[in-house]
Amino acid sequence: MTGGDLDGQVAIVTGGAGHIGGAITSALTKRGARVVVVDLIEAEVANAVLSLVCDVTDSSTVAATVVEAHHLHKRIDILVNCAGGGARTGFVDLPDEVWFAELNKNLSGAFFFMRAVLPYMLAAETGAIVNISSISGVIGGLPAKGQDGRSGPAYAAAKAGLIGLTKWAAREYGRQGVRVNAVAPGPVLTSAVMHGYDYGIEDYPIPRMGQPRDMAETVAFLCSPASSYITGEVIKVSGGVGM
């Protein structure tokens, strides 16, 4: 891809203050997009046009955030749902509040943002939505040695649900010019996965941890004209562990 293939387009990136979200913001701005970063905290992301504080689990706040972004930029071309995260609580020990909290931040938040931006995209008859799922949503939890083992069931269920939501929207809105895809990262080298987890990467076909930029470049491709014939897909960026 060459720089400038997203010139003039406006993108919203949720979870944009994090490692992966920040890398996605940089990749999109490098290609000419104007990026609105949305997170629970004020983002300090280079090249972000605007940083908005928003709890993605609060549907009314999400709706107001999208209205503000559209009011300022008069268009919304791209949505990347990157907000999320999860605990490693086991199945039997999983409290109700943790179950619902993880469903809300990984799945409901993406739904709220999609619901809020879709009217603008449908009116323009164009748009690209990329949902950041996880290899856990594909294979049922990424195995890890040490500490609490693999990622928890609530996280896996939410990320699997996000894949279903992606495919539903892709089938519904493709004829109206809106493409919807998902990226399923494997283990990514961020602060969240650097505290005693051993993912056995020596056994992966590509034997290294993922980097935020690996996810970001895939997202940028799915937002660009180079992927104009791709919708409803889940691209696993996992070093081959999800084959």
Side-chain angles (χ1 to χ4, degrees):
M1 291 183 296
T2 59
D5 54 3
L6 297 178
D7 275 348
Q9 296 198 29
V10 174
I12 294 176
V13 178
T14 75
H19 289 79
I20 297 176
I24 291 169
T25 294
S26 295
L28 295 179
T29 55
K30 183 175 69 175
R31 290 160 174 80
R34 293 173 288 166
V35 180
V36 178
V37 172
V38 174
D39 210 301
L40 279 170
I41 59 174
E42 185 98 19
E44 296 181 1
V45 181
N47 301 320
V49 171
L50 179 67
S51 174
L52 298 176
V53 176
C54 174
D55 179 355
V56 301
T57 69
D58 184 332
S59 62
S60 60
T61 303
V62 167
T65 299
V66 171
V67 167
E68 181 177 358
H70 187 267
H71 176 74
L72 289 170
H73 297 295
K74 310 306 179 189
R75 58 189 292 172
I76 298 173
D77 305 281
I78 295 166
L79 169 66
V80 181
N81 282 308
C82 190
R88 292 174 181 261
T89 309
F91 204 108
V92 175
D93 299 324
L94 186 66
D96 290 358
E97 59 269 23
V98 174
W99 169 262
F100 287 111
E102 293 199 18
L103 288 181
N104 284 334
K105 66 184 176 181
N106 290 288
L107 179 55
S108 298
F111 167 73
F112 294 151
F113 263 94
M114 290 170 68
R115 184 175 63 182
V117 304
L118 272 165
Y120 299 116
M121 292 182 174
L122 294 173
E125 298 184 335
T126 185
I129 297 173
V130 181
N131 293 320
I132 306 302
S133 180
S134 169
I135 201 67
S136 292
V138 177
I139 66 174
L142 186 65
K145 307 168 190 176
Q147 287 201 1
D148 298 319
R150 64 180 177 156
S151 51
Y155 180 77
K159 291 301 191 180
L162 188 55
I163 290 172
L165 184 66
T166 297
K167 291 180 177 292
W168 193 98
R171 287 185 180 275
E172 183 76 5
Y173 300 116
R175 291 177 181 271
Q176 299 172 68
V178 179
R179 298 182 300 106
V180 190
N181 291 289
V183 171
V188 182
L189 196 59
T190 68
S191 59
V193 295
M194 294 174 68
H195 303 291
Y197 301 119
D198 177 1
Y199 290 97
I201 59 173
E202 65 275 4
D203 297 325
Y204 289 16
I206 300 176
R208 68 169 175 85
M209 292 285 285
Q211 299 286 339
R213 66 175 178 272
D214 296 321
M215 313 305 135
E217 291 299 320
T218 305
V219 170
F221 164 71
L222 289 172
C223 294
S224 77
S227 64
S228 63
Y229 198 49
I230 299 175
T231 196
E233 296 297 335
V234 182
I235 298 183
K236 293 174 284 188
V237 188
S238 63
V241 71
M243 283 194 289

